[in-house]
Amino acid sequence: MNGKVRMLFVVGCLVCLMASSVTLGTPPPVAAPVDTSGELANRQQVAAYQGASNANVAKSNAQRPITFSLDSYRATANHAAGNDGSWLSDPKPFLEYGYGHNRAKERNGLTTDTHTVTGGVICKTFADFQTGAIFSFIHAHGDSAGRNGVDYDEDGFTATFFISKNIQWFYFGTSLTYGYSGGIARTKPAANRFRTKIDSNTLVVCPYIGAIYVNGPFSVSTTPTYVYRYQDVAYRSGINPSTSEGISDGTFVLANRASYAVSEKLWVDFNFDYNQIIHEDESKYAQGSTDRGWLTLGPKFTYYITETAQIYLGYTATVANDDFEDHQINVGLDFRF
Amino acid sequence: MRRRCTFFGFFLTTVVIASAAIQCRCADRPFSPVARPAISTRYRVSFDSIVNVGYKWRRPMHGWAATELIIERTLRQWYSRLEIRPKSRDLPLEDLKVALESLPSSDQTDISIVYLASSQTRQGQWEFTRGTRRVSWPDLLGSINIRQHPRRIVLLDACHASGVMRSGLWSDRLAPSSFFASLEGERTYELNFRSPFRLDLPRRFPKANAWLRENMPADWDGKTSFFGLIWLQAFLKTAHPPETQDDWKVFLRLCRKESEDFRITHSRRLSSTVNGYVAPSVK
């Protein structure tokens, strides 16, 4: 690239930057640079990877016990039984399929489709605590357009263990999630195809405390939650020496839910979560978030097929996020024995 | 984003308005007037109740407090010479002993009805809301002296209720006749007349709903124990108040049948088996 072209590129970038700042009033999306080296391609792949990895599934699973706590309030009938002293009782298995569509908002940003199969079991344990384990298997495929487009495939799993307790009108709990994923990111131009193998180990801790108010068929709840994530990512490519880095972030989530029992068999929930990144390590390779606060919201319909089996359909959209847009659809089956 | 929010708002509003309209239609449906049963003037009847409600570490048992009121008001409609004795709520161990020791004797009343409601363990231990955590019935009954009454009927509304019969002390010292809300291995649940979720009780039990609307206080939250509903259903199907031991046997059979019908027709999960025994007639 000669000096004139470089100058034009810089001026173009500045114009784009000013225009986007004026129209959106937000930090500018990063313009995709022209691919000149393997290092650049590698960085872009990594950036793409960081935008949609199984860490998101790990985070989402880490917050699932909040739903279980709420369900045990609104959907479990009160009874007059003391604690039986058994370690595990009242098992409630569930199975869920989730489809997620994530699109980075930057120009030629990565579009990712994620398929997740989640299964788990929730039990009562000593002193009326609730405990359980959740396992997810994930396959993700990402794609980005443009001259430096990348695509990547990723397979992984997460395992979550949690413990929670309901005390009258409030509840608390914590979960610990471990996730592993392995993926390959590739640059698109066939002539200059760089591959990077990416392995990640993720650890998420999610303590929460919340309150619920139930009045007849209505219930509302709010749950302040802190989600801490530590992720160790290792990159291996043919061009660059293998590297790894450990990055962590902490997000405050105010998870709110309003529920209404439409009939004997149908529940409607509306989830409205506010997410705020409190702290975030700077990655050596990937861009961090420019937007530190956003909303996730959506309805969930639960239908009781029988007294012991229920199906649900949930939809969640991420809105007011300048970095990405995200849509999730979950279909699941719950049992209570 | 605005379009999406508008869509969600519109959708939710539609769902809420539609379901509210359905519920209003159900609520406004004219209910059949509740027929008043005949009133017994012959016997002196007393009603004692000991109920644990305010547990610190679990949900409060408001439904069982409502059942206490349901039983009290049905008895009031049955017997003109009914004495409602002071209600005991959330008693610690020592006070429970005193309350049991002060149950009326046969000199004071012809029929003594005692309603006991509490959280109870599978081992048949009564759980307190304060003080001592729990006590087993044999230990409790072995340490106190209860006045005998051959026509005392104890209604034990708790989980694993008939487990108390493992010890002979229950029938020998406290309860010549008993109604149990559940079998030894069963739990008994709370029901809610104000929420359609799981069971739309006003629609399924219109007569009971009509009676409750007429007789329960305005601030009642709609909750009752399963036993409360079964007792009320049996009450509404009983034309004459039980006076003799045989009448109580018939009433117990009716309660049991109602609980079985509930299990078959309405909910297996929320039902328990009402059972018990009635002492032979006293000559």
Side-chain angles (χ1 to χ4, degrees):
Chain A
M1 192 185 287
N2 60 32
K4 216 174 210 177
V5 173
R6 192 174 293 159
M7 181 66 79
L8 274 173
F9 177 72
V10 170
V11 171
C13 284
L14 278 172
V15 170
C16 288
L17 192 151
M18 285 166 69
S20 61
S21 299
V22 168
T23 51
L24 300 175
T26 53
V30 179
V34 178
D35 184 16
T36 54
S37 70
E39 176 63 29
L40 183 61
N42 196 356
R43 280 177 57 190
Q44 192 181 28
Q45 290 156 8
V46 170
Y49 171 80
Q50 294 270 317
S53 70
N54 86 327
N56 291 334
V57 177
K59 271 185 168 182
S60 148
N61 277 351
Q63 292 176 58
R64 244 174 227 267
I66 297 171
T67 307
F68 300 147
S69 289
L70 294 173
D71 283 350
S72 74
Y73 259 112
R74 54 149 222 200
T76 308
N78 195 10
H79 56 71
N83 187 264
D84 295 337
S86 56
W87 277 88
L88 294 172
S89 61
D90 296 350
K92 184 189 159 202
F94 71 94
L95 189 66
E96 180 186 292
Y97 166 74
Y99 168 72
H101 179 79
N102 182 297
R103 187 177 71 80
K105 283 184 174 173
E106 66 178 3
R107 190 151 63 95
N108 295 329
L110 192 79
T111 300
T112 314
D113 294 304
T114 310
H115 303 270
T116 313
V117 176
T118 303
V121 65
I122 307 150
C123 294
K124 272 279 181 75
T125 184
F126 61 90
D128 274 341
F129 274 82
Q130 205 173 29
T131 187
I134 307 160
F135 300 96
S136 285
F137 295 92
I138 304 136
H139 173 74
H141 176 77
D143 207 344
S144 69
R147 279 186 64 191
N148 299 317
V150 294
D151 66 67
Y152 89 101
D153 285 291
E154 175 191 1
D155 290 294
F157 73 89
T158 69
T160 301
F161 302 94
F162 72 92
I163 190 156
S164 66
K165 168 89 174 167
N166 294 356
I167 300 174
Q168 305 215 356
W169 51 267
F170 77 96
Y171 49 91
F172 61 89
T174 189
S175 67
L176 178 68
T177 302
Y178 168 75
Y180 167 79
S181 76
I184 295 177
R186 294 169 291 260
T187 50
K188 269 188 170 172
N192 189 19
R193 198 163 169 84
F194 299 108
R195 289 160 61 93
T196 305
K197 288 186 78 175
I198 305 164
D199 290 320
S200 79
N201 291 282
T202 307
L203 204 61
V204 180
V205 180
C206 176
Y208 65 88
I209 183 163
I212 186 167
Y213 171 73
V214 181
N215 188 355
F218 292 99
S219 66
V220 288
S221 65
T222 185
T223 316
T225 309
Y226 173 69
V227 184
Y228 173 81
R229 177 185 66 152
Y230 175 79
Q231 191 174 24
D232 184 65
V233 192
Y235 312 101
R236 279 175 292 159
S237 68
I239 307 158
N240 306 299
S242 296
T243 56
S244 68
E245 66 172 346
I247 47 172
S248 66
D249 61 45
T251 310
F252 170 75
V253 182
L254 187 65
N256 305 296
R257 183 155 83 167
S259 301
Y260 181 68
V262 180
S263 70
E264 283 187 351
K265 295 195 176 267
L266 182 65
W267 266 102
V268 180
D269 296 314
F270 188 75
N271 299 298
F272 181 89
D273 300 350
Y274 174 70
N275 304 264
Q276 175 71 49
I277 293 174
I278 301 171
H279 60 88
E280 185 180 30
D281 286 352
E282 191 128 332
S283 169
K284 282 186 284 185
Y285 304 101
Q287 308 120 310
S289 307
T290 55
D291 196 349
R292 301 179 74 83
W294 67 92
L295 301 172
T296 49
L297 49 88
K300 181 183 172 191
F301 301 90
T302 307
Y303 185 80
Y304 280 70
I305 312 164
T306 67
E307 274 200 290
T308 50
Q310 52 180 286
I311 50 169
Y312 59 87
L313 171 67
Y315 169 73
T316 310
T318 298
V319 295
N321 187 305
D322 296 323
D323 291 334
F324 63 91
E325 65 176 64
D326 190 78
H327 304 273
Q328 298 281 338
I329 293 174
N330 297 299
V331 183
L333 186 60
D334 275 359
F335 292 98
R336 286 161 200 274
F337 296 121
Chain B
M1 177 195 161
R2 191 176 294 164
R3 275 179 60 193
R4 203 169 289 142
C5 289
T6 310
F7 170 74
F8 282 133
F10 177 75
F11 178 77
L12 265 184
T13 310
T14 310
V15 169
V16 169
I17 289 173
S19 58
I22 291 165
Q23 286 193 13
C24 286
R25 204 188 61 190
C26 295
D28 292 338
R29 191 185 299 152
F31 49 84
S32 55
V34 181
R36 294 276 174 199
I39 294 180
S40 167
T41 55
R42 203 166 143 200
Y43 292 102
R44 291 173 299 157
V45 179
S46 68
F47 179 62
D48 291 76
S49 61
I50 300 170
V51 180
N52 286 340
V53 177
Y55 288 92
K56 286 175 189 154
W57 300 103
R58 50 162 293 160
R59 279 190 276 179
M61 293 174 52
H62 292 306
W64 283 260
T67 297
E68 176 192 54
L69 197 59
I70 289 169
I71 294 170
E72 180 200 309
R73 295 195 173 177
T74 52
L75 293 176
R76 205 184 280 279
Q77 291 181 14
W78 266 346
Y79 304 105
S80 62
R81 297 171 71 191
L82 176 72
E83 183 197 358
I84 307 290
R85 291 160 54 88
K87 293 174 179 172
S88 302
R89 192 65 58 84
D90 294 329
L91 296 183
L93 177 59
E94 290 310 313
D95 292 349
L96 176 65
K97 286 180 178 175
V98 172
L100 291 173
E101 284 179 331
S102 61
L103 291 176
S105 64
S106 52
D107 302 336
Q108 296 169 286
T109 182
D110 298 317
I111 302 172
S112 165
I113 296 170
V114 183
Y115 177 67
L116 302 177
S118 171
S119 169
Q120 192 164 272
T121 65
R122 189 177 283 273
Q123 293 76 31
Q125 293 172 308
W126 176 274
E127 288 203 321
F128 295 94
T129 55
R130 53 203 168 109
T132 308
R133 186 83 194 273
R134 52 179 75 123
V135 67
S136 72
W137 278 104
D139 290 348
L140 178 63
L141 296 173
S143 64
I144 54 176
N145 190 17
I146 302 172
R147 280 180 280 192
Q148 293 294 304
H149 193 315
R151 298 194 64 194
R152 179 181 295 136
I153 299 163
V154 177
L155 318 173
L156 180 58
D157 192 359
C159 292
H160 317 297
S162 63
V164 297
M165 288 294 292
R166 275 181 296 196
S167 157
L169 289 175
W170 176 266
S171 53
D172 290 348
R173 296 213 172 174
L174 175 65
S177 304
S178 279
F179 282 41
F180 298 121
S182 56
L183 293 172
E184 193 176 342
E186 285 181 334
R187 285 180 175 175
T188 188
Y189 288 92
E190 187 176 68
L191 305 174
N192 192 344
F193 271 82
R194 295 276 162 82
S195 171
F197 181 56
R198 297 206 126 180
L199 282 180
D200 190 349
L201 294 169
R203 186 175 61 78
R204 288 171 180 264
F205 299 95
K207 283 187 179 169
N209 187 45
W211 188 93
L212 291 165
R213 287 177 67 162
E214 206 173 294
N215 291 280
M216 294 299 274
D219 61 350
W220 175 52
D221 63 1
K223 291 175 182 168
T224 172
S225 70
F226 174 74
F227 183 76
L229 175 64
I230 296 302
W231 176 278
L232 180 57
Q233 283 286 101
F235 165 82
L236 292 170
K237 291 180 180 175
T238 304
H240 298 283
E243 291 184 334
T244 65
Q245 297 295 90
D246 288 339
D247 291 342
W248 280 108
K249 277 182 190 165
V250 170
F251 189 72
L252 174 61
R253 273 203 296 273
L254 189 54
C255 284
R256 180 164 189 140
K257 184 176 177 305
E258 283 295 324
S259 70
E260 284 164 359
D261 287 350
F262 186 98
R263 179 192 302 273
I264 295 163
T265 314
H266 303 292
S267 171
R268 182 185 61 80
R269 205 174 164 73
L270 295 176
S271 66
S272 54
T273 311
V274 174
N275 65 104
Y277 59 92
V278 176
S281 297
V282 183
K283 300 291 179 193

